[in-house]
Amino acid sequence: MSDTPEKTPNQLISPTSSRSVTETVNGSHHFLIQGYSLAKGMGIGKHIASDYFTVGGYQWAIYFYPDGKNPEDNNTYVSVFIALASEGTDVRALFELTLIDQSGKGKHKVHSHFDRSLESGPYTLKYRGSMWGYKRFFRRGLLETSDYLKDDCLKINCTVGVVVSAIDCSRLHSIQVPDSDIGPHFGMLLENMEGSDIIFNVCDEDKQEITVSDMEPKVFKAMLHFVYRDALVEDELTASSSSAPMVSDTLTAKLLAAAHRYDLGRLRRMCESHLCKDISVNSVAQILSLADRFRAEELKAVCLRFAAENLAAVMRSDGFEYLKENCPALQSEILKTVAGCDEDCSSGGGKSRSVWAQLSDGGDTNGRRVRQRT
């Protein structure tokens, strides 16, 4: 009999996964052009510029050419363009230009790149001064007799959607909610024969017995639903999330505040789990601020990791500007997390490049002067 030990199959290593999410950071600007008749005759290729506006971390401007941009058209058309007004390299974006019908009939003239995004993809602006728009935006003779011109004024709306890509770790990380422990709690009340029915006064909706201030009735009712049923009202949470413009205005965020106020650990964890599913480039800064304020440590850790792994995209979001102005300490924590991510990369974490390298996306890393195209 051989003394050689039998070989055992190599132990399987659990597979890993990730998901890249590409989306747009959108913003709009309204441009009022007064004195259109006085602008006529300024010359072909000469434009009136809007004020700068910021979308996706870049500055933009609307250029209106009353005599047209193209010499070959011989003043026949007016031209309208959206220009990249700050330094940037290969900025990918979607655009929409709308000339407003001022008659109230709603027959606006819309040129939208968003509608064609699946057909031709986003437009790439190579450098500062690159533009997207139309040399033949509108025939000038028709414009001057139309409802788009009123009191010698034109109104132009512009929407820019800057394309950003991010690793969606919010779907890869989850926050575990502990099992229900409501039975032992009610059992303890039964054995001790303590407790009694109470009437709460929430914003004058009930009789005056115990006053609860600084909380909306719907939030208090949702908290009571949890206390008595050990569950969240999912339909109400979903409806709140879809209608609220800010994460802090959602029912889930307000319930998280209530859980912190009354030290309801399981409710806090359930809110964390729910908010974790909504983490994105546009929302992570708001959710991070909430998690820090109400000591939702697991949610905060997921937000920091997501922000660090998608730093370039997150820095271009409006939420990052909010952190810069209101929560500078959280910005420092993001940078510490970035350093940790870089250490993971250097130790064989499997990433193709450092997180810091994301900061060079969309920018000129060599500090060169970028030629402006006119």
Side-chain angles (χ1 to χ4, degrees):
M1 179 180 292
S2 175
D3 293 333
T4 304
E6 294 184 5
K7 293 183 178 180
T8 58
N10 291 334
Q11 186 175 7
L12 293 177
I13 299 176
S14 299
T16 59
S17 64
S18 63
R19 183 170 74 167
S20 174
V21 176
T22 300
E23 57 187 357
T24 58
V25 177
N26 298 337
S28 298
H29 185 77
H30 307 292
F31 185 29
L32 174 64
I33 300 172
Q34 292 182 311
Y36 163 80
S37 61
L38 297 176
K40 290 170 53 179
M42 66 188 304
I44 297 174
K46 300 293 182 62
H47 66 263
I48 298 171
S50 72
D51 195 4
Y52 292 157
F53 57 98
T54 302
V55 180
Y58 298 98
Q59 287 191 318
W60 307 86
I62 303 171
Y63 289 172
F64 175 74
Y65 297 79
D67 295 325
K69 189 176 186 297
N70 191 357
E72 289 77 14
D73 290 331
N74 195 25
N75 298 334
T76 305
Y77 296 89
V78 297
S79 307
V80 184
F81 285 82
I82 303 170
L84 177 63
S86 60
E87 303 297 340
T89 304
D90 294 333
V91 181
R92 301 175 69 237
L94 302 177
F95 303 97
E96 183 173 281
L97 285 168
T98 302
L99 184 60
I100 300 300
D101 175 9
Q102 299 188 66
S103 69
K105 300 175 183 176
K107 296 182 179 179
H108 312 304
K109 183 175 179 61
V110 181
H111 289 288
S112 180
H113 196 203
F114 286 84
D115 297 338
R116 304 201 311 270
S117 60
L118 294 179
E119 174 187 337
S120 58
Y123 188 79
T124 301
L125 297 102
K126 297 293 186 180
Y127 42 78
R128 179 182 181 183
S130 297
M131 295 186 291
W132 176 91
Y134 294 88
K135 293 180 180 178
R136 298 181 176 182
F137 184 79
F138 207 109
R139 190 176 288 272
R140 196 164 77 166
L142 294 176
L143 175 65
E144 293 173 357
T145 58
S146 71
D147 290 329
Y148 302 110
L149 183 64
K150 182 179 180 181
D151 298 329
D152 207 26
C153 294
L154 293 172
K155 294 181 179 180
I156 299 175
N157 288 350
C158 159
T159 298
V160 178
V162 178
V163 178
V164 295
S165 294
I167 297 298
D168 184 8
C169 73
S170 65
R171 303 308 192 269
L172 307 178
H173 296 79
S174 61
I175 295 177
Q176 297 299 317
V177 178
D179 293 335
S180 173
D181 56 0
I182 195 169
H185 283 286
F186 275 116
M188 188 182 304
L189 289 175
L190 180 63
E191 292 175 5
N192 295 338
M193 300 183 67
E194 294 178 355
S196 61
D197 292 335
I198 339 175
I199 297 176
F200 289 94
N201 177 10
V202 184
C203 294
D204 297 324
E205 282 205 356
D206 296 306
K207 296 180 181 178
Q208 185 174 359
E209 293 290 340
I210 296 178
T211 301
V212 178
S213 59
D214 300 329
M215 186 179 296
E216 298 176 33
K218 67 176 182 179
V219 179
F220 190 80
K221 289 176 181 177
M223 185 179 72
L224 285 183
H225 181 93
F226 162 78
V227 170
Y228 281 93
R229 297 181 179 271
D230 202 28
L232 299 178
V233 187
E234 292 292 340
D235 291 342
E236 292 186 15
L237 294 179
T238 302
S240 170
S241 297
S242 61
S243 62
M246 300 282 290
V247 175
S248 57
D249 294 331
T250 65
L251 180 56
T252 310
K254 294 174 181 179
L255 268 179
L256 178 64
H260 174 69
R261 177 177 178 179
Y262 293 105
D263 196 22
L264 299 172
R266 178 172 160 79
L267 177 59
R268 177 192 287 115
R269 191 72 63 84
M270 294 171 79
C271 292
E272 286 185 77
S273 180
H274 199 281
L275 287 169
C276 182
K277 300 173 184 177
D278 293 331
I279 295 175
S280 67
V281 167
N282 293 325
S283 68
V284 65
Q286 295 181 50
I287 297 177
L288 174 60
S289 176
L290 287 172
D292 181 67
R293 187 188 315 164
F294 302 122
R295 300 180 183 176
E297 298 302 330
E298 288 197 46
L299 180 62
K300 180 178 178 180
V302 173
C303 288
L304 287 172
R305 186 74 181 185
F306 180 90
E309 293 183 346
N310 302 281
L311 186 59
V314 171
M315 287 183 68
R316 295 174 186 139
S317 68
D318 293 337
F320 195 80
E321 290 298 317
Y322 172 83
L323 288 185
K324 184 185 299 183
E325 296 175 4
N326 300 281
C327 312
L330 289 179
Q331 281 194 316
S332 299
E333 290 194 53
I334 291 175
L335 295 181
K336 291 178 182 177
T337 309
V338 169
C341 289
D342 278 349
E343 290 176 4
D344 290 344
C345 294
S346 62
S347 61
K351 291 189 178 182
S352 58
R353 60 181 181 141
S354 163
V355 176
W356 284 108
Q358 295 184 55
L359 290 173
S360 65
D361 289 353
D364 183 11
T365 57
N366 296 319
R368 300 188 301 267
R369 289 184 60 85
V370 182
R371 180 172 61 90
Q372 180 174 357
R373 186 172 65 183
T374 57

